Amino acid sequence: MSAGWLAIAGLGPGDEALVTCEVTAALAQATDVIGYIPYVARVAAREGLTLHPTDNRVELDRAAHALELAAQGSRVVVVSSGDPGVFAMASAVFEAVEAGPAPWRDLDIRVLPGITAMLAASARAGAPLGHDFCAINLSDNLKPWALIEKRLRLAAEADFAMAFYNPRSKARPEGFARVLDVLREACGEDRPILFARAVTTPEEALTITTLGKATSEMADMRTMVIVGSSQTRIIDRVGPPILYTPRSA
Amino acid sequence: MSAGWLAIAGLGPGDEALVTCEVTAALAQATDVIGYIPYVARVAAREGLTLHPTDNRVELDRAAHALELAAQGSRVVVVSSGDPGVFAMASAVFEAVEAGPAPWRDLDIRVLPGITAMLAASARAGAPLGHDFCAINLSDNLKPWALIEKRLRLAAEADFAMAFYNPRSKARPEGFARVLDVLREACGEDRPILFARAVTTPEEALTITTLGKATSEMADMRTMVIVGSSQTRIIDRVGPPILYTPRSA
């Protein structure tokens, strides 16, 4: 039997101080690091380590490549930003495991959690996800718009705070405008909304406003969007305001 | 003006390798660490550091104490397990800020994210939260049972995977049995459910079963419960099975 293994590791939102020691240790032991170009670029080159940067939207090919290398005895880390289990590479790897050759099932595969974007964004703004909430991927690459809209309306009815990943892309700029329309109708114009761009990086920019004043141009693919529940509050102060949801919401 | 500050820091689920460097650095600079007894016990004593362990269910008193110390110039870390922004101390601190004296609003307050229990549990089991999901605190200390049940039914209708914090306590052992009844009715007997106890600690125990076979005794206050969406899958293998939700769910 090979001594290969596969770790699917979360690099967090960007700041190296938010990478866990567990992930740092796995990277130190790896022979191969695989992932989307900007994430692999965060791993320092060293002797004995092969970096495999790949383009976006090739998740299943990337997963299969990682599993092949591990099956051959390599120590492989697949890197994601944030947490690999939240709209990231872990599900893609397990899809490849299920569809792939039987021996892949018995490989040593571990998921190493990281700080996911919604929790980094929430921390920077205060605690908007401090009570019951949901996380929705707004990309309609892999699911129909009707399902996204259904989830938005039910989440509003449940009075969840809502965290939105992948709000807006060049390929479908109109989708997020429709999301904002649905939310305004379901939650009202006064509901607080946070746009948190490139959180914990030098380009970080936070905007707290209301659904009535929000426009789709406020988000791009590096932006995490969080909409409060009916109980979410804004504390005004000398510095940036604090956005938080009470524990009883 | 005082140079005091307040950091609300997440210690992660238990394993020290899951604490971020940002949190470690804040603890190294602190003059005071405040929190629930078992969390403060995770911080090493040293000269110049005062530890303030407090009992559970005194969150607002603890928050006010931390704010008072910071206002007096202390460097204070309030410690939570997991992530402070998810059913933890961050919201309690901001509630105290809003209700407290005006100068508290302008204190240097930062939230330092951590690995929250649902993402640690998800990582250990595979990737059950790999697509749209919600997080619900099942404690009815701070909200009525009717709201919990409403959210369960709407979350099932939205076909979210669901992560449940605080499923069961000695004070209300019957509540979680009712949750399971509602979920069986809304999601069917065959829906996968994960019980993840004391994840990343020496007492870790994972059970993957179905709603039909789940009983309320499978959870205690150290257990994270995750219920899959209709698309969540189980991969059988030689070792423990893998539970994951595909990216298109």
Side-chain angles (χ1 to χ4, degrees), chain A residues 141-164:
Chain A
N141 290 334
L142 291 168
K143 69 183 168 215
W145 163 256
L147 181 57
I148 295 175
E149 181 168 340
K150 179 181 172 185
R151 285 186 177 151
L152 292 174
R153 292 189 186 279
L154 290 166
E157 191 180 344
D159 202 16
F160 285 126
M162 307 177 209
F164 298 118

Side-chain angles (χ1 to χ4, degrees), chain B residues 230-241:
Chain B
S230 67
Q231 302 303 306
T232 301
R233 302 180 62 77
I234 296 173
I235 305 178
D236 286 314
R237 61 208 293 253
V238 174

Side-chain angles (χ1 to χ4, degrees), chain A residues 85-176:
Chain A
V86 179
F87 310 124
M89 280 302 295
S91 286
V93 168
F94 294 125
E95 287 172 44
V97 167
E98 199 173 8
W104 282 3
R105 296 186 174 217
D106 299 319
L107 287 170
D108 175 2
I109 305 176
R110 289 169 296 152
V111 179
L112 310 184
I115 304 295
T116 186
M118 68 179 168
L119 297 182
S122 177
R124 290 303 224 196
L129 304 179
H131 202 69
D132 300 343
F133 67 93
C134 65
I136 299 178
N137 187 344
L138 292 181
S139 169
D140 57 3
N141 290 334
L142 291 168
K143 69 183 168 215
W145 163 256
L147 181 57
I148 295 175
E149 181 168 340
K150 179 181 172 185
R151 285 186 177 151
L152 292 174
R153 292 189 186 279
L154 290 166
E157 191 180 344
D159 202 16
F160 285 126
M162 307 177 209
F164 298 118
Y165 286 74
N166 301 318
R168 196 157 182 270
S169 73
K170 283 183 189 163
R172 42 181 178 77
E174 73 292 352
F176 186 57

Side-chain angles (χ1 to χ4, degrees), chain A residues 59-60 88 91-92 95 137 142-143, chain B residues 130-131 244-249:
Chain A
E59 287 88 354
L60 277 182
S91 286
E95 287 172 44
N137 187 344
L142 291 168
K143 69 183 168 215
Chain B
H131 202 69
Y244 85 99
T245 304
R247 295 164 300 150
S248 54

Side-chain angles (χ1 to χ4, degrees), chain A residues 6-10 22 83-85 90-91 94 109-114, chain B residues 119-120 122-127:
Chain A
L6 172 58
I8 313 159
E22 183 180 61
D83 183 289
S91 286
F94 294 125
I109 305 176
R110 289 169 296 152
V111 179
L112 310 184
Chain B
L119 298 183
S122 177
R124 291 302 224 196

Side-chain angles (χ1 to χ4, degrees), chain B:
Chain B
M1 278 300 290
S2 82
W5 48 254
L6 173 56
I8 313 158
L11 296 177
D15 181 349
E16 297 308 314
L18 292 175
V19 180
T20 67
C21 300
E22 184 180 61
V23 168
T24 304
L27 288 169
Q29 296 172 335
T31 57
D32 296 84
V33 170
I34 296 180
Y36 180 39
I37 299 161
Y39 309 149
V40 172
R42 290 180 56 189
V43 179
R46 61 173 164 76
E47 203 173 342
L49 176 65
T50 307
L51 300 175
H52 306 266
T54 53
D55 204 355
N56 210 350
R57 299 205 187 187
V58 293
E59 288 88 354
L60 276 182
D61 294 345
R62 188 189 293 151
H65 184 206
L67 288 158
E68 277 163 17
L69 288 173
Q72 290 161 14
S74 298
R75 300 186 296 276
V76 184
V77 178
V78 171
V79 286
S80 278
S81 74
D83 183 290
V86 178
F87 309 124
M89 279 302 295
S91 286
V93 169
F94 294 125
E95 287 173 42
V97 167
E98 199 173 7
W104 283 4
R105 297 185 174 219
D106 299 319
L107 287 171
D108 175 2
I109 305 175
R110 290 168 295 151
V111 179
L112 310 184
I115 304 294
T116 186
M118 68 178 169
L119 298 183
S122 177
R124 291 302 224 196
L129 304 179
H131 202 69
D132 299 345
F133 67 94
C134 65
I136 298 178
N137 187 343
L138 291 180
S139 168
D140 56 3
N141 290 335
L142 291 167
K143 69 184 168 212
W145 162 256
L147 180 56
I148 295 175
E149 181 169 340
K150 178 181 173 187
R151 285 186 177 151
L152 293 174
R153 293 191 185 278
L154 289 167
E157 190 181 342
D159 201 17
F160 284 126
M162 306 178 209
F164 298 119
Y165 286 74
N166 302 316
R168 196 157 181 270
S169 73
K170 283 181 189 164
R172 42 181 178 76
E174 73 293 352
F176 186 57
R178 291 163 73 187
V179 168
L180 289 175
D181 286 340
V182 171
L183 290 172
R184 271 188 284 265
E185 191 186 312
C187 306
E189 303 267 321
D190 296 333
R191 184 68 60 89
I193 181 170
L194 165 70
F195 293 89
R197 183 170 191 278
V199 167
T200 81
T201 78
E203 294 83 43
E204 177 174 302
L206 262 63
T207 304
I208 295 172
T209 183
T210 61
L211 283 175
K213 292 176 183 156
T215 65
S216 62
E217 289 71 30
M218 291 176 175
D220 65 13
M221 281 306 277
R222 295 187 72 192
T223 306
M224 183 77 222
V225 178
I226 294 178
V227 172
S229 76
S230 67
Q231 302 303 306
T232 301
R233 302 180 62 77
I234 296 173
I235 305 178
D236 286 314
R237 61 208 293 253
V238 174
I242 295 166
L243 183 70
Y244 85 99
T245 304
R247 295 164 300 150
S248 54

